[in-house]
Amino acid sequence: MSFDRIFLPKNKVYSIIFFVIIGIVTVVLSLGFFNLDILNDVTVLLPENAETNAEREKIARLNKEFPSDQMLFITVSDNPFREGKIEKLWQLCHELDNLYVVKSTLHPFNATSFKKIGETFQIVRNNPNDYPKTAEEIEKFKNTLKSNRYLIGSVISYDYNTAGIVVRINFDAMVGKEIENPNFFVKFLEKIFDRKFGIAPINRTDFSNEVEKVLKKYDNDFPVLFAGVPAYEAKTKNYMLRDMTILIGPAIILMIIILYLSFGTKRGVILPMIAMLMSLVWTMGLLGWLRIKMNIVSILIPPIILTIGSSYTLHYMNSYYNLSGTIRDKRDLINSAAKHIFPTIFMAALTTIVGFASFFTVSIGVIKEFGIIVIVSIFFTLFLTFFLLPKILFFTYIPKENKIEHLKSDVFAKMLAKLNSFVYPLRYFWISLLFVIMVVAFFVIPNIKVETDVSAFFKDGDKIKQGIIFLQRNFKGSTSFNIAVRSKDNKRNFFKTREGLLAAKKVQDYIDRNVVIDGYTMLGWNLSPVTLAEDLNETMYGTLDIPESDRILNTFFTFLLASKDDGVKGIMNNDFTAINFQVRTVSDNKKMNYMISEQELLELTRIMYNDLSKIAAEDGRFTVEVWGELLLLASISRYLVSDQIINIISSVILVVLVVLILFRSLFYSLIAIIPLIYGVLMNFSIMSIFGISLDPGTVMIGAIAVGTGIDGSLHFLLNYRRILKTGIPVREAVDQTLAFASRPMVFTAVSLICGFMVFVLSSFKPILFFGLLISISMFNCVFAALFILPSAILVSDKVSSIFKKK
């Protein structure tokens, strides 16, 4: 079979058979959409290595000893502790108590306090079935809540004007509705995907959604905010589902507009869209069949498939229309268009694949997975571009010649001709611009911040972010980590004694002194058996100290364990060989909304580990372990920085090698990356100057910019080398190349820019900035390919001629 018949067989029957096979494949793969699922766990951003696995194992081990179910922290502000409001507050708490997805709650109406009775004490729990009615009763009620330190910062704020409600998940609950009479299609999907549709065990997202339904009923009564891992995960999942649907629509509309502006014909719009949409369906359907869940990174994939696919199909259709003015035989036109543009598209696709393949060098698994998925989608798009589109075109008529002439003289052609005229006269200016950017980048790029805190994922006006900031300010923190203190030789009941608590008090005193970094304190609310014992002693004897009597301590802790309070389980184990300190992080830096940065959290972890290890070693009666998911997630920032450096270096090296192999010229391979250098340096300079952080979204910009931004360079150089071989001078070859290649280069770049700009509609800040920055990178790359790259060729030719004369 000849090369021509690969694209377009002579027998139409083969084309029809091809269409049938493609249709069947599309239907089968599209069924995978029904098995797509969302993975909204932030810990997927952690790499699988010895360090993180060891930390995960430690968290799992200590969680068994100090169980602390992920909870929602709800705040009710505007002083609900007053007549006319406290009844509504009680109704809200009562409704949450009876919610089927809730295991337990802690709120003002069921809070526990200590009371002195003669020479002994009593642990008193408020009556959750009643609430204070009069002003006197309310004041007495508030004084009870203020009597214990652990209640301030949990059920009442530090200014006493906000109520706090802690809600824990009931993992035994089921959600959804049973499908009573499943039809054939549902049974078929359940069989092929080995899953059950309908009722299912609850997860943290379902839990948060059900609680939020209750909270919304009271929006008109008082301001209600909430935070916590279940809330973050629920909002993340809801926003991911929203983004996957909302972002695709504008991306499709923009692609249609760009294609119409490029060609002004129906087939110039419909055929590329068929290839792009089929590639999208195939890729997403394949993910469903392979049971690969969508995550915070992979939700970028649908618009990226459309965006990258548009450049290949646009180049192909541009070649088809350009050659239709000289080739009037349909079969020859289609085959000639495919053969003419194949090297350009092949090289562009290869460098893009290399850019995404560089993600294999990173340590974060979901980013590697993202690279693989996009590469698969590129192969799908290439296959459909060169094997589906030619066969469809064969069943259409050849474009009219007046339509081709119109494209060559329209307003865009005139604008590009004007822009091209600025290259030669200003060639030294364009080269100087590159050097200026390199110098600026050298000074500003080291100042880029790294941020992986979950609050940074949400926009400033988002209710979840508002809840986090409110908790930081009024409850001294929204998230906590743990410090486990264990007796040497696992001595039973050691921390039920005054000796054991006095030893542990050294840790408590360290926490109370706080840790200062760059002039700001880092620790907020905390809870431990030590603080509970001190509160008890203050109730009985008026001093904040550890009780003298071991008998009182033994009775006190026995009563607490017997209460089966979920909060108590998280700070003491059953045999008192170890106790746990729960500590929230909060900064007194108002400019940062009382939040601590990732770098501060990493530094805090290092300082506390060193200081507490010294305290434990000096005492000799206990050991200390600092642990928690919060600290584990802080390590993400370290991997983001190292991954970004390795990723960019590897992608640039791979692209240079690919271009070197394809062009077999060191000059062409080095000069091809000039637009990349300009685009990437501009991108990171903008991030530094405008304070945009390096995060899970923006970390991928460098490699994607390298892989896709070089397309314009390749298109220019391929045409330049072909024209130069005719023997004309360099300047004339540059002018002809710009005249021929600038239109597809610009429209391809515009399609990429518009496709990536769709991400500014995302609910997540990292994805919003990803779209904005990658669009800016694409603009800078095509700008450099149109002005700096040809200027570099002209100047290098001038330098070369001077040396030859010498």
Side-chain angles (χ1 to χ4, degrees):
M1 180 180 289
S2 68
F3 188 75
D4 291 352
R5 296 187 188 181
I6 294 176
F7 300 119
L8 187 63
K10 285 191 173 181
N11 194 332
K12 289 184 179 180
V13 175
Y14 291 128
S15 295
I16 294 172
I17 294 173
F18 178 84
F19 291 143
V20 172
I21 294 172
I22 289 294
I24 294 172
V25 170
T26 302
V27 171
V28 172
L29 287 176
S30 63
L31 292 176
F33 273 86
F34 294 96
N35 201 39
L36 283 176
D37 201 0
I38 299 290
L39 179 62
N40 49 355
D41 186 357
V42 182
T43 60
V44 298
L45 296 173
L46 286 165
E48 290 287 341
N49 57 29
E51 182 183 358
T52 57
N53 288 339
E55 195 66 26
R56 284 189 175 104
E57 289 172 5
K58 181 170 73 171
I59 292 171
R61 169 174 56 83
L62 290 170
N63 257 330
K64 291 178 181 178
E65 196 168 8
F66 304 105
S68 54
D69 295 332
Q70 293 290 358
M71 60 189 183
L72 281 176
F73 201 155
I74 303 164
T75 64
V76 182
S77 55
D78 194 24
N79 192 14
F81 300 108
R82 55 192 169 95
E83 292 182 80
K85 290 289 185 181
I86 197 166
E87 181 181 4
K88 285 291 183 181
L89 176 63
W90 174 80
Q91 289 175 358
L92 169 59
C93 295
H94 188 68
E95 195 166 349
L96 290 172
D97 285 337
N98 295 306
L99 192 62
Y100 75 103
V101 298
V102 172
K103 177 185 177 183
S104 65
T105 62
L106 173 65
H107 52 71
F109 304 101
N110 67 1
T112 300
S113 58
F114 316 135
K115 286 188 177 181
K116 181 180 180 182
I117 302 177
E119 293 300 316
T120 185
F121 65 90
Q122 185 178 8
I123 299 176
V124 180
R125 185 169 182 259
N126 289 342
N127 181 10
N129 297 315
D130 198 8
Y131 62 92
K133 310 293 193 302
T134 65
E136 292 78 14
E137 289 177 347
I138 292 173
E139 189 62 27
K140 183 179 178 182
F141 178 73
K142 285 183 69 175
N143 288 334
T144 300
L145 298 179
K146 290 186 279 184
S147 65
N148 294 107
R149 280 183 299 168
Y150 84 95
L151 293 179
I152 302 172
S154 55
V155 299
I156 189 170
S157 62
Y158 280 85
D159 64 0
Y160 311 133
N161 290 323
T162 302
I165 307 170
V166 177
V167 185
R168 290 183 170 85
I169 185 173
N170 174 20
F171 282 106
D172 294 329
M174 304 291 286
V175 293
K177 294 182 179 180
E178 189 71 46
I179 302 176
E180 297 181 358
N181 298 306
N183 56 32
F184 169 79
F185 187 64
V186 172
K187 291 180 180 178
F188 174 72
L189 292 176
E190 288 181 339
K191 183 71 175 176
I192 61 174
F193 294 128
D194 191 25
R195 61 177 292 186
K196 187 76 174 175
F197 294 95
I199 195 167
I202 193 172
N203 56 42
R204 294 191 295 205
T205 300
D206 300 321
F207 164 64
S208 180
N209 289 337
E210 291 298 316
V211 170
E212 190 175 3
K213 289 178 185 177
V214 174
L215 300 182
K216 284 182 177 179
K217 298 178 184 178
Y218 296 87
D219 280 344
N220 295 327
D221 298 306
F222 27 57
V224 180
L225 295 170
F226 59 98
V229 173
Y232 309 151
E233 291 188 354
K235 286 297 180 184
T236 299
K237 183 172 184 176
N238 293 338
Y239 288 157
M240 286 168 68
L241 289 169
R242 173 189 175 276
D243 284 359
M244 286 179 63
T245 53
I246 286 183
L247 298 184
I248 292 176
I252 291 174
I253 293 171
L254 285 171
M255 293 302 109
I256 290 173
I257 293 172
I258 291 165
L259 289 168
Y260 185 77
L261 291 175
S262 299
F263 306 115
T265 64
K266 293 179 181 178
R267 89 178 76 181
V269 174
I270 295 173
L271 267 62
M273 289 305 304
I274 288 174
M276 287 186 278
L277 291 174
M278 286 184 65
S279 177
L280 175 63
V281 170
W282 285 15
T283 304
M284 301 305 292
L286 184 63
L287 295 184
W289 279 103
L290 296 177
R291 293 171 171 79
I292 298 175
K293 294 185 178 182
M294 305 296 291
N295 53 63
I296 189 71
V297 175
S298 59
I299 60 169
L300 299 168
I301 290 172
I304 283 180
I305 292 174
L306 295 174
T307 301
I308 293 177
S310 67
S311 66
Y312 305 146
T313 54
L314 194 149
H315 275 307
Y316 178 85
M317 294 302 296
N318 186 74
S319 175
Y320 171 78
Y321 277 111
N322 275 334
L323 293 177
S324 64
T326 56
I327 303 175
R328 304 307 294 173
D329 179 79
K330 187 186 296 184
R331 184 178 295 277
D332 288 345
L333 170 62
I334 294 170
N335 285 323
S336 297
K339 287 189 290 185
H340 176 266
I341 203 62
F342 181 80
T344 301
I345 295 180
F346 173 74
M347 291 184 69
L350 187 58
T351 52
T352 303
I353 288 170
V354 165
F356 283 98
S358 68
F359 289 140
F360 300 163
T361 63
V362 305
S363 57
I364 300 174
V366 293
I367 295 181
K368 291 181 182 178
E369 183 182 273
F370 171 79
I372 295 171
I373 295 169
V374 175
I375 289 172
V376 170
S377 75
I378 290 172
F379 281 114
F380 285 158
T381 305
L382 290 175
F383 173 80
L384 294 168
T385 299
F386 283 107
F387 292 93
L388 178 64
L389 295 190
K391 295 173 179 60
I392 297 176
L393 283 170
F394 189 72
F395 289 92
T396 63
Y397 57 84
I398 295 178
K400 296 178 181 178
E401 293 188 39
N402 61 344
K403 176 65 72 174
I404 309 305
E405 292 302 317
H406 170 71
L407 291 175
K408 292 180 180 179
S409 59
D410 63 6
V411 64
F412 297 110
K414 294 175 181 177
M415 287 174 58
L416 290 172
K418 186 67 175 176
L419 289 174
N420 294 341
S421 67
F422 291 116
V423 173
Y424 182 77
L426 300 176
R427 59 193 181 282
Y428 294 110
F429 171 77
W430 303 126
I431 296 294
S432 301
L433 182 62
L434 173 63
F435 285 106
V436 169
I437 293 302
M438 292 173 69
V439 172
V440 171
F442 177 80
F443 289 102
V444 301
I445 286 179
N447 299 323
I448 293 177
K449 299 185 298 181
V450 181
E451 189 60 72
T452 57
D453 181 67
V454 68
S455 66
F457 287 13
F458 302 102
K459 296 179 180 178
D460 292 338
D462 192 276
K463 203 167 184 179
I464 287 290
K465 186 157 189 175
Q466 291 176 353
I468 294 171
I469 295 172
F470 187 86
L471 281 163
Q472 292 293 117
R473 184 172 66 246
N474 295 280
F475 286 79
K476 291 192 177 180
S478 58
T479 53
S480 61
F481 64 93
N482 303 278
I483 303 171
V485 178
R486 189 174 308 280
S487 62
K488 280 288 183 69
D489 303 322
N490 283 324
K491 186 177 179 181
R492 291 178 63 85
N493 295 321
F494 179 69
F495 292 107
K496 262 188 177 182
T497 66
R498 177 176 170 78
E499 178 194 1
L501 289 176
L502 284 173
K505 191 175 186 302
K506 295 178 180 179
V507 175
Q508 184 65 52
D509 290 342
Y510 175 82
I511 295 170
D512 292 339
R513 287 195 301 270
N514 218 310
V515 177
V516 178
I517 298 176
D518 295 331
Y520 298 106
T521 57
M522 296 287 112
L523 305 179
W525 178 92
N526 61 84
L527 174 65
S528 72
V530 174
T531 58
L532 293 179
E534 288 178 336
D535 286 349
L536 173 65
N537 195 75
E538 185 178 37
T539 299
M540 295 188 65
Y541 307 113
T543 59
L544 204 63
D545 200 356
I546 304 296
E548 297 281 348
S549 170
D550 281 353
R551 178 183 58 80
I552 288 179
L553 287 171
N554 184 71
T555 304
F556 175 63
F557 287 123
T558 301
F559 283 172
L560 284 178
L561 272 184
S563 70
K564 296 184 178 180
D565 185 285
D566 287 325
V568 170
K569 293 178 184 177
I571 60 172
M572 56 186 75
N573 64 5
N574 292 326
D575 59 8
F576 283 87
T577 57
I579 58 175
N580 192 43
F581 293 73
Q582 294 178 346
V583 187
R584 293 184 197 150
T585 57
V586 63
S587 170
D588 54 0
N589 186 353
K590 294 181 181 180
K591 293 180 180 179
M592 295 294 292
N593 289 319
Y594 306 92
M595 307 288 292
I596 72 172
S597 67
E598 295 298 305
Q599 289 85 349
E600 288 172 334
L601 185 54
L602 283 171
E603 180 66 8
L604 173 64
T605 306
R606 185 191 66 80
I607 291 172
M608 292 194 69
Y609 176 80
N610 291 335
D611 291 348
L612 292 174
S613 296
K614 290 178 182 177
I615 291 171
E618 290 171 0
D619 184 277
R621 290 173 291 177
F622 62 88
T623 59
V624 175
E625 287 183 286
V626 183
W627 63 287
E629 193 173 87
L630 175 66
L631 304 181
L632 179 64
L633 291 175
S635 64
I636 294 175
S637 59
R638 298 204 321 267
Y639 298 110
L640 285 180
V641 174
S642 60
D643 282 356
Q644 178 72 95
I645 295 170
I646 295 171
N647 196 205
I648 291 179
I649 293 174
S650 61
S651 60
V652 170
I653 291 173
L654 288 171
V655 165
V656 169
L657 289 175
V658 167
V659 177
L660 181 61
I661 293 169
L662 295 174
F663 278 103
R664 298 177 184 177
S665 167
L666 183 61
F667 171 76
Y668 281 114
S669 62
L670 292 178
I671 207 167
I673 65 170
I674 286 177
L676 297 184
I677 294 172
Y678 180 82
V680 171
L681 291 181
M682 279 287 289
N683 172 74
F684 287 111
S685 298
I686 289 169
M687 289 181 66
S688 177
I689 293 169
F690 291 96
I692 300 173
S693 302
L694 194 65
D695 55 40
T698 56
V699 74
M700 299 184 294
I701 289 174
I704 295 177
V706 170
T708 57
I710 201 171
D711 290 1
S713 300
L714 295 176
H715 193 68
F716 181 92
L717 291 174
L718 281 168
N719 285 281
Y720 168 75
R721 193 170 67 163
R722 177 177 55 82
I723 294 172
L724 192 64
K725 287 179 179 179
T726 61
I728 64 175
V730 168
R731 179 183 173 183
E732 193 175 335
V734 168
D735 290 339
Q736 288 188 25
T737 303
L738 286 170
F740 179 81
S742 58
R743 185 184 183 100
M745 285 170 63
V746 167
F747 276 102
T748 299
V750 169
S751 69
L752 290 171
I753 291 168
C754 292
F756 286 118
M757 279 296 290
V758 167
F759 290 115
V760 301
L761 302 175
S762 173
S763 307
F764 298 108
K765 283 178 69 175
I767 295 177
L768 183 153
F769 284 126
F770 167 84
L772 181 63
L773 291 169
I774 199 72
S775 297
I776 293 172
S777 295
M778 292 299 101
F779 171 81
N780 286 320
C781 285
V782 74
F783 169 84
L786 288 172
F787 293 96
I788 300 177
L789 177 60
S791 297
I793 292 174
L794 291 168
V795 172
S796 64
D797 178 65
K798 180 69 173 179
V799 173
S800 176
S801 63
I802 292 173
F803 275 103
K804 285 179 181 179
K805 287 180 181 179
K806 288 184 178 181

